[in-house]
Each structure stands twice: as C-alpha cells, then as structure tokens.
C-alpha cells in the first residue's frame, strides 16, 4: 500500500516510480524496496496482521487438523541457512527479503563465528548462504573459507549478475576453488520475462554470469561443481512441472547460449514482503491466497524445509525458515534468551515446534516449494 506523497505509474507491465516526497525527485525503472515505497508492509507485523486476518480463509493450522495431519515439528538439523544481509545489487519485484542497493544490514564476522560454532556443535552438513546478494557481504569469502575448512557442503544463493560486477572478476574462480554449490536465480529463459521481474539488462548479465561459471567447470555432468537454476513464476500462477521445465531450460540455454547446468528448482512466490505489496496493489491478494489454499497438497508436509533447517538472520536471530525470518516470527516454545545463534544451546533449538501461518500455504501448494525446489508430485 502506498501512502500519500507517492505517485506510481504502471506502464506496459514495467513499474516506473517517481518518488515525490519532501520535494525530492528520484526516478528508477526498477521496483523499489518497501522502505523506499514508504509501504506499511515494511513492518513485518503489518504483513502478519493481514495474513492472519479473520476473513473466512482457513488458517494453516486448522487445515492441518482438518486433514488429520500433526502440527509441524523439526526433529533434526541438516541445513543451517545463513542470511548474511539485505544488501543486493538488484531490486526484484518478488523479493521476499526486500533487498536492494540501499540496504545496509550486513552480518558481522562475530556473528559468522557464532554460526561456525553451531555448525561444529550440531555437526551441520550443509550451510546455505543467502542474502541479499551474499557475495556483497565483506566477510563472505572469509566465511566460505572457514566452512570449506570444516568440510561442510556450502551453497551460495547467487543472483548471477553479481558475477559481472566490477571487483568480482575472480568470484566464479573463488567459488569453484572452494567447491561451493551455486544455486542461481533465473526466472525464465526468455529475456523479456526475466527482465520484467528482475530489472532491465538482468537477463543478459545473468547469461554472462552463467558462462563464467561454466568456464570454471560448473554445470558439467562429470564435475563436482554443481550449478542449480531456480525458477519462480513471473506472475501469480503456481510453478509448472519441475522436470518438464528443466528439460525446456536445458534445451533453450544450450541451443541459444551454450550454457550447461545440473538441475532446475521450481519455487512458488511467497505472499510476503514485496510480492505481497504487489498483490495488494494489483487487487490480486485474495485470489492468489485462494489459489494456494485450493492447491494444498498433504504430500508436501514431510518434505517441508523448516523440518530440518534453521535460519539465521544478519543479527544472529534464529528462525524456522527464511520466510518466518522476514515476518519476524520467532521460534515458538524456545526461551527468548537462546533465540540467538550466539547464545543458542543446540539441544534447545533443534527439536521444536514450528511457527506456522497462512504464508505456509506457499510451501504446500501443488508440488510444494522449498529452497530445494518442488517437494512432491503435483496434486491431481
Ligand atoms: S537478487 Fe535475490 S535478494 Fe536481490 S533483490 Fe532479487 S530476489 Fe532479492
Ligand atoms: S513458510 Fe514454509 S518453510 Fe517456513 S514454516 Fe511455513 S511451511 Fe515451513
């Protein structure tokens, strides 16, 4: 929702925002962060209030009960997902982190040291580094080196264009040298669709980024350097079949650009943050939520990522997942003094109830959605 003093024009599907506040004029052909839009949803509590409003839509917990499914719980910790900050060189319209070039929230090295301690104590196998553009955190390379020395499987959620930014000429080589698995966003193999969601020129620069990764050995079937692409719908539909889409990406990217990759993950747009703002502005919030609820698939429940993951924010606070992190939904039933990675006793935080809400319908719709892509066979 936009407050007075701002004028937003929508032209040919691309947002052109003119900030006319306090006499200041700023023009951008990219979507703005919620703070720049002066949106009420900059406050996570406002997002939760809207999502949990008494409006006749089933609550996630009630639907689990109706389907005779137990409450969600976490029983083990396989993945520590570390969000190292909200700074990003892009401002994508669907971003659930509300990241952008103006954000200043960055994880310190001390907090990263606390993450390393948890990795050691809990014998975490996989550390999933996300942001923002995680590579923009000044301690990113140090963190990767430490994790690599611990023998962890390290994932970098890379937006691809960061590989083409001045100063990052050796980034692809660095990732390869430390055997980092690259999980890279590319919402479409068509330029127009990608640029509509992620900004003008992003597709071309993403292709350059992929070519750099391929040149370092990423994406080859006989290489250990895994390159995963991530698709999310440009609009309000659910993702198509993951295997079929992977085949289409493989054919298109190889034929047109000579690009190779290992796997494709499909993810659903979550009704939070900038995508929620966009849904409200377009009057499509109710219909999108109805789509998610109608497509609820009980077969996704066992594979939900919150069941084996802990998420850490840039300040070291712990959450069930990156989405709960953005909504500031803390770990339920865990004493507040141990909700921080610096204070946490691993036994207190691994086995726990999971905090759910209507946003969770985004993870359970259709074939399901997680940081590892689709979870189950699509509901028929
Ligand atoms: S690249 Fe990722 S973190 Fe950056 S704005 Fe886009 S979706 Fe958000
Ligand atoms: S949003 Fe998804 S991953 Fe997070 S708690 Fe809900 S179901 Fe689990």
């Amino acid at each position: 929702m936009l407050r007075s003093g701002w004028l937003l024009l929508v032209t040919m599907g691309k947002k052109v925002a003119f900030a006319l506040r306090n006499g200041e004029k700023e023009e951008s052909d990219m979507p703005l962060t919620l703070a720049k839009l002066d949106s009420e949803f900059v406050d996570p509590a406002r997002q939760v209030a809207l999502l949990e409003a008494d409006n006749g839509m089933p609550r996630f917990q009630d639907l689990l009960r109706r389907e005779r499914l137990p409450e969600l719980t976490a029983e083990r910790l396989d993945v520590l997902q570390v969000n190292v900050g909200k700074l990003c060189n892009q401002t994508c319209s669907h971003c659930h982190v509300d990241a952008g070039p103006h954000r200043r929230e960055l994880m310190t090295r001390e907090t990263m040291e606390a993450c390393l301690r948890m990795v050691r104590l809990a014998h975490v196998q996989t550390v999933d580094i996300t942001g923002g553009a995680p590579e923009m955190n000044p301690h990113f390379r140090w963190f990767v080196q430490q994790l690599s020395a611990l023998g962890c499987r390290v994932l970098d959620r890379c937006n691809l264009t960061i590989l083409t930014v001045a100063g990052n000429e050796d980034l692809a080589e660095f990732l390869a040298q430390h055997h980092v698995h690259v999980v890279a966003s590319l919402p479409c193999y068509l330029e127009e669709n990608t640029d509509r969601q992620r900004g003008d020129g992003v597709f071309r620069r993403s292709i350059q980024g992929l070519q750099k990764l391929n040149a370092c050995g990423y994406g080859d079937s006989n290489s250990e350097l895994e390159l995963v692409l991530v698709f999310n719908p440009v609009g309000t539909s659910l993702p198509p079949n993951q295997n079929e889409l992977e085949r289409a990406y493989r054919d298109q990217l190889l034929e047109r650009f000579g690009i190779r990759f290992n796997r494709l993950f499909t993810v659903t747009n979550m009704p939070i943050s900038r995508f929620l703002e966009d849904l409200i502005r377009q009057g499509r919030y109710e219909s999108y939520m109805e789509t998610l609820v109608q497509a609820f698939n009980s077969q996704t429940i066992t594979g939900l990522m919150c069941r084996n993951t802990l998420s850490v924010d840039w300040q070291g606070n712990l959450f069930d997942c990156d989405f709960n992190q953005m909504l500031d939904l803390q770990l339920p039933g865990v004493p507040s003094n141990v909700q921080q990675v610096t204070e946490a006793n691993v036994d207190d935080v691994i086995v726990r109830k999971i905090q759910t809400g209507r946003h969770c319908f985004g993870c359970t719709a259709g074939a399901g959605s997680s940081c590892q892509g689709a979870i189950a066979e699509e509901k028929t």
Side-chain angles (χ1 to χ4, degrees):
M1 287 196 186
L2 300 173
R3 289 186 187 153
S4 59
W6 290 76
L7 172 66
L8 190 105
L9 306 176
V10 179
T11 54
M12 296 170 68
K14 185 169 74 173
K15 280 167 277 181
V16 181
F18 298 90
L20 299 167
R21 196 158 147 263
N22 302 329
E24 165 202 354
K25 182 171 178 177
E26 180 183 304
E27 186 176 338
S28 165
D29 62 356
M30 288 172 72
L32 298 171
T33 60
L34 293 176
K36 284 263 168 188
L37 279 170
D38 206 16
S39 165
E40 63 177 301
F41 293 134
V42 79
D43 177 3
R46 288 294 305 131
Q47 297 183 45
V48 173
L50 175 74
L51 285 160
E52 299 308 320
D54 210 355
N55 56 8
M57 200 185 297
R59 291 183 196 284
F60 189 75
Q61 281 298 97
D62 293 342
L63 203 127
L64 289 184
R65 271 195 288 274
R66 208 163 78 199
E67 298 272 327
R68 298 183 188 284
L69 292 163
E71 284 189 337
L72 293 190
T73 53
E75 269 107 38
R76 56 180 213 274
L77 177 58
D78 297 333
V79 181
L80 190 70
Q81 188 170 59
V82 184
N83 192 315
V84 296
K86 295 178 189 286
L87 179 62
C88 187
N89 58 320
Q90 293 183 191
T91 326
C92 309
S93 61
H94 67 290
C95 182
H96 74 270
V97 180
D98 196 24
H102 308 290
R103 302 301 300 250
R104 292 291 171 262
E105 300 90 337
L106 287 168
M107 184 177 276
T108 61
R109 189 178 285 208
E110 290 70 33
T111 305
M112 288 179 182
E113 279 167 354
C115 293
L116 291 167
R117 175 180 156 271
M118 178 169 275
V119 167
R120 281 194 300 270
L121 290 177
H123 307 288
V124 174
Q125 297 154 16
T126 300
V127 177
D128 185 342
I129 311 177
T130 187
E135 307 86 351
M136 291 178 83
N137 183 305
H139 309 297
F140 170 79
R141 293 193 189 207
W142 175 84
F143 192 41
V144 168
Q145 284 163 343
Q146 302 302 308
L147 291 166
S148 176
L150 286 178
C152 291
R153 181 169 170 264
V154 183
L155 270 59
D156 174 30
R157 295 211 173 248
C158 178
N159 69 15
L160 293 174
T161 61
I162 198 70
L163 294 159
T164 69
V165 168
N168 282 340
E169 289 79 5
D170 63 340
L171 180 57
E173 286 91 345
F174 171 83
L175 296 172
Q177 193 187 346
H178 293 88
H179 296 96
V180 175
H181 298 254
V182 174
V183 184
S185 308
L186 190 71
C188 192
Y189 47 74
L190 297 177
E191 183 166 1
E192 188 193 344
N193 287 343
T194 293
D195 284 3
R196 195 187 318 155
Q197 186 182 96
R198 295 175 80 77
D200 284 345
V202 166
F203 182 79
R204 287 269 143 208
R205 288 174 59 206
S206 299
I207 294 298
Q208 288 168 20
L210 285 169
Q211 287 167 335
K212 282 180 173 226
L213 290 167
N214 278 171
C216 292
Y218 277 97
D220 287 333
S221 51
N222 57 357
S223 164
E224 286 181 359
L225 297 173
E226 192 177 43
L227 174 58
V228 176
L229 299 185
V230 182
F231 161 91
N232 65 289
V234 173
T236 54
S237 55
L238 292 179
N241 180 280
Q242 184 168 276
N243 293 334
E244 286 172 18
L245 191 64
E246 182 179 302
R247 278 195 286 278
Y249 262 69
R250 203 175 290 293
D251 293 348
Q252 288 279 335
L253 292 178
L254 187 63
E255 190 179 314
R256 292 166 55 214
F257 306 105
I259 286 169
R260 305 169 306 284
F261 64 96
N262 299 99
R263 285 187 292 156
L264 177 88
F265 291 164
T266 55
V267 301
T268 302
N269 289 321
M270 296 297 283
I272 65 174
S273 195
R274 289 219 282 267
F275 190 65
L276 177 64
E277 228 276 339
D278 209 40
L279 288 171
I280 296 286
R281 187 154 24 81
Q282 293 188 37
R284 301 174 85 171
Y285 168 68
E286 281 84 7
S287 64
Y288 188 65
M289 290 306 296
E290 203 176 313
T291 300
L292 297 182
V293 173
Q294 291 296 327
F296 177 82
N297 182 355
S298 58
Q299 290 176 20
T300 60
I301 296 294
T302 48
L304 291 170
M305 63 183 176
C306 46
R307 310 199 71 172
N308 70 344
T309 300
L310 260 179
S311 160
V312 191
D313 78 359
W314 68 279
Q315 293 175 296
N317 299 305
L318 296 169
F319 299 88
D320 295 306
C321 68
D322 210 40
F323 308 121
N324 283 7
Q325 182 186 132
M326 298 310 147
L327 293 173
D328 202 18
L329 296 172
Q330 297 189 332
L331 303 178
V334 174
S336 56
N337 61 329
V338 292
Q339 298 242 359
Q340 257 271 340
V341 71
T342 45
E343 309 293 331
N345 176 342
V346 290
D347 295 332
D348 288 334
V349 293
I350 293 178
V351 179
R352 64 185 192 278
K353 276 188 186 168
I354 292 167
Q355 180 78 264
T356 58
R358 286 200 183 108
H359 61 292
C360 296
F361 284 121
C363 295
T364 56
S369 181
S370 75
C371 284
Q372 285 78 46
I375 300 171
E377 291 298 315
E378 197 143 2
K379 191 182 176 189
T380 50

